[in-house]
Amino acid sequence: MTKLILGASALGAVVCASTASGQGAPPPGYGVMGVPPPGYGMYASAPPPSVPAYPNSMPPPSTTGMVTPPPVYTDPYASAPPPGPVSSYAPQGTSNYSPPPVSPGGYAGNGGYNNAVKTGPAIVNYDNLEVFYRYVAPKEADLNGAHTIGGALQLALFNPLYLKFGASWGSGSGGAGATGGNAKDANYDFASISAGAGFHTSLIHDRLTFVAEAGLTYASLRAKDSSISFSDGSIYVRPALRFTPFDWMEVQAGVTVSSADKYDSKILDLSAYFRVLPMLDLGIGADFGDATRAFRTAVRLRW
């Protein structure tokens, strides 16, 4: 029995020795704390890609050699630096709009031509007072010419209407045939008044205006020792054109047709006005009627 136990022990020792010799010795450092075995991490995942930091400001727009780039603002609450000599963007607080240039003489006239900035009323307006001297030469052979003074007032209503009032007075002398050769007894007085309303509108261009007036007129002539005296009331209509070839000049042409029997029933009038001050014009004109001829000079005040 003892021999059997010793034999089994010897056999187990031989088997253990054979197994140990087949596995071999472990490599150096294997199993040492803190040292990974060879090949460790060969199949580990790559680190995540780095993400660039978000820029604090937008890149400047593309520019050319003739344009400087706009300033880059890093602080939204900081005041903007002054722009460069030529910037591709307008400076802050400004815009690309520019006011229209001032017209020659500074006249735009109530909105005037091209809406330019004005320094006074337009030469064509409907708020004015005119004072004139008028020499009237009757076609009546027994009367000489009369020296007449008068005035006209225009008042603008709501666009495009206006009112017009006028009055004149003058005196003249008679010809030799009026009193049988005694001309000193043929002196006469002539007076007229008128009141009317009209409207105006532009034609083709702002510089050309059509005007139409209608109203009442009363004329009176009183001659001494003569049967030529008369008084006549009538209704009149006057279409006319007002043209401004320059901002400092106005030309008028009109035809007055009335129901008068003893005075001019048709009158062609021509006038020209020249601006001498921002609100003051000088004018000259002539009237050609079927009973008289007249020549006049005027001073017109606008507001």
Side-chain angles (χ1 to χ4, degrees):
M1 185 65 177
T2 304
K3 293 181 179 181
L4 181 59
I5 294 171
L6 291 175
S9 300
L11 179 59
V14 172
V15 172
C16 292
S18 176
T19 303
S21 63
Q23 291 181 352
Y30 182 80
V32 179
M33 183 178 296
V35 179
Y40 177 80
M42 180 178 299
Y43 301 101
S45 60
S50 61
V51 178
Y54 188 81
N56 293 329
S57 60
M58 297 299 292
S62 60
T63 59
T64 62
M66 298 300 294
V67 179
T68 59
V72 177
Y73 305 109
T74 58
D75 185 357
Y77 298 99
S79 59
V86 179
S87 176
S88 58
Y89 294 98
Q92 289 184 351
T94 63
S95 66
N96 294 327
Y97 173 78
S98 298
V102 178
S103 62
Y107 279 83
N110 302 329
Y113 311 120
N114 301 322
N115 294 321
V117 179
K118 65 177 183 177
T119 58
I123 194 169
V124 175
N125 85 326
Y126 301 91
D127 282 313
N128 60 72
L129 174 64
E130 180 177 345
V131 178
F132 58 83
Y133 163 79
R134 188 167 179 252
Y135 178 78
V136 181
K139 290 184 176 180
E140 174 63 50
D142 291 339
L143 297 176
N144 292 329
H147 301 278
T148 304
I149 58 173
L153 174 65
Q154 280 190 347
L155 298 174
L157 299 177
F158 53 89
N159 192 48
L161 302 180
Y162 66 93
L163 298 177
K164 185 175 182 180
F165 306 93
S168 64
W169 176 86
S171 63
S173 60
T179 57
N182 189 5
K184 67 179 182 180
D185 295 331
N187 293 339
Y188 66 93
D189 296 330
F190 176 80
S192 67
I193 58 174
S194 63
F199 79 95
H200 57 89
T201 183
S202 298
L203 296 178
I204 303 175
H205 194 275
D206 289 343
R207 293 184 179 269
L208 182 62
T209 304
F210 173 76
V211 178
E213 298 175 12
L216 303 175
T217 184
Y218 175 82
S220 174
L221 187 146
R222 292 289 182 266
K224 297 179 181 179
D225 300 325
S226 175
S227 61
I228 302 176
S229 301
F230 70 86
S231 60
D232 196 3
S234 60
I235 300 173
Y236 78 91
V237 176
R238 178 182 179 265
L241 292 176
R242 303 180 69 174
F243 177 60
T244 53
F246 310 101
D247 288 344
W248 48 267
M249 179 181 180
E250 176 194 352
V251 178
Q252 287 192 29
V255 177
T256 301
V257 180
S258 71
S259 60
D261 295 327
K262 300 178 180 180
Y263 190 57
D264 291 314
S265 60
K266 298 180 182 65
I267 302 175
L268 171 65
D269 62 271
L270 302 173
S271 305
Y273 293 90
F274 305 90
R275 175 176 56 85
V276 294
L277 291 175
M279 300 174 63
L280 190 68
D281 306 324
L282 294 180
I284 58 174
D287 303 325
F288 304 95
D290 52 11
T292 63
R293 300 287 187 271
F295 303 92
R296 51 191 160 80
T297 61
V299 176
R300 184 174 65 181
L301 176 65
R302 293 172 279 106
W303 61 86

